[in-house]
Amino acid sequence: MGAMREAKTDAGVVAVYAVTGKMPVTYVAATVSATLTKLPAARAGIKGGDEILSIDGVAPKSVEALAGMIRASKGAELTLRIPRGAEYLPIHVRSVRYQKTWKIGVDLTAVTKVDVKALPKAPATGTVQGPSGGLMMALGDISEISPGQLAPWPIAGTGTIDADGGIGGIGDVTYKVQGAVAAGAKVFFVPQANAHEAWVTAKGRIRVVVVNSVGDALAWLCAHGSQSHVCESPGLYTDRKSTRLNSSHLGI
């Protein structure tokens, strides 16, 4: 059940971003992915994996905001609140002028959690089940929350999904293609890893379309008669090729 819940969550995240252009996540902290030797952070004992929750008692709302606070310190001492085990350590560090700005010598990546309240409430996924249904869950969610008809005819497909919208292969696609044909679907979306097997099984009875991301599937649908508002969305579909998200990552 865990993998199923994760697939549904990732599908919902991708769908919301595709339709709204906004990530349905809440910022939690900035995690230190690396430190630069001989700069203040490393000397103060900050290490990779640490999470910076606040600076001088102020909890920033993004990695960018945290970086701005460090730059604005201009050499002043800062107190960082960092959890270590069951404790919250106050670590004191002073920014230094480095590469034309004020830094403490860390690479930061955003730590976020999914805002489940922002996910689709009633995904139109029908009988889609399991991690292999990730792609169709996402398309079902998009169809549910975006005005207009996503596909003018029945579609089917398979593929795992990650929160960046990437689509991965599955173990056996034969019975899924056969089921899609029996159900009267006109198009079957399949990840590259399963493309050959899908083509062999289809035998021309259903159109097989290879996709590597939800963005690929949306691009194909929008080029073949989709009336969905998502075709004009500023979100995942913007480049018509990829659904990759840019996670916040800064050196400061």
Side-chain angles (χ1 to χ4, degrees), residues 32-241:
V32 176
S33 49
T35 59
L36 297 178
T37 58
K38 299 182 180 180
L39 287 186
R43 293 200 301 267
I46 297 173
K47 56 188 179 180
D50 280 343
E51 292 182 0
I52 301 175
L53 303 181
S54 66
I55 296 180
D56 291 340
V58 177
K61 295 183 179 181
S62 67
V63 167
E64 291 78 10
L66 187 149
M69 294 169 69
I70 293 174
R71 294 190 190 102
S73 68
K74 296 182 179 181
E77 184 178 86
L78 302 168
T79 301
L80 311 184
R81 186 169 182 253
I82 294 177
R84 290 273 181 85
E87 298 182 307
Y88 291 89
L89 303 181
I91 295 183
H92 305 288
V93 63
R94 190 180 298 273
S95 61
V96 295
R97 188 75 174 173
Y98 184 75
Q99 295 180 342
K100 299 182 180 181
T101 189
W102 293 92
K103 294 188 175 187
I104 60 173
V106 292
D107 285 336
L108 299 176
T109 302
V111 177
T112 59
K113 65 178 180 180
V114 175
D115 182 2
V116 294
K117 294 181 179 179
L119 298 185
K121 298 297 190 298
T125 54
T127 59
V128 175
Q129 298 291 328
S132 65
L135 168 61
M136 296 311 294
M137 290 178 195
L139 293 179
D141 285 348
I142 290 169
S143 178
E144 185 72 18
I145 63 178
S146 180
Q149 188 177 43
L150 184 61
W153 10 252
I155 61 174
T158 191
T160 61
I161 192 171
D162 59 39
D164 288 325
I167 302 303
I170 65 169
D172 181 9
V173 77
T174 300
Y175 78 95
K176 291 183 178 292
V177 174
Q178 292 171 340
V181 171
K186 304 300 181 183
V187 173
F188 189 86
F189 292 114
V190 64
Q192 183 68 55
N194 301 107
H196 179 71
E197 183 183 0
W199 280 321
V200 171
T201 305
K203 297 178 180 178
R205 295 172 297 169
I206 188 172
R207 184 167 185 172
V208 175
V209 177
V210 179
V211 295
N212 294 310
S213 68
V214 175
D216 288 347
L218 290 176
W220 192 92
L221 288 168
C222 291
H224 291 81
S226 175
Q227 299 298 312
S228 174
H229 176 71
V230 76
C231 293
E232 304 301 326
S233 169
L236 291 179
Y237 181 56
T238 300
D239 64 7
R240 300 296 199 263
K241 295 179 181 178

Side-chain angles (χ1 to χ4, degrees), residues 3-59:
M4 176 63 176
R5 286 194 298 269
E6 183 176 340
K8 284 186 175 180
T9 299
D10 287 346
V13 169
V14 170
V16 170
Y17 188 61
V19 175
T20 68
K22 299 178 181 178
M23 282 293 290
V25 299
T26 301
Y27 177 81
V28 176
T31 184
V32 176
S33 49
T35 59
L36 297 178
T37 58
K38 299 182 180 180
L39 287 186
R43 293 200 301 267
I46 297 173
K47 56 188 179 180
D50 280 343
E51 292 182 0
I52 301 175
L53 303 181
S54 66
I55 296 180
D56 291 340
V58 177

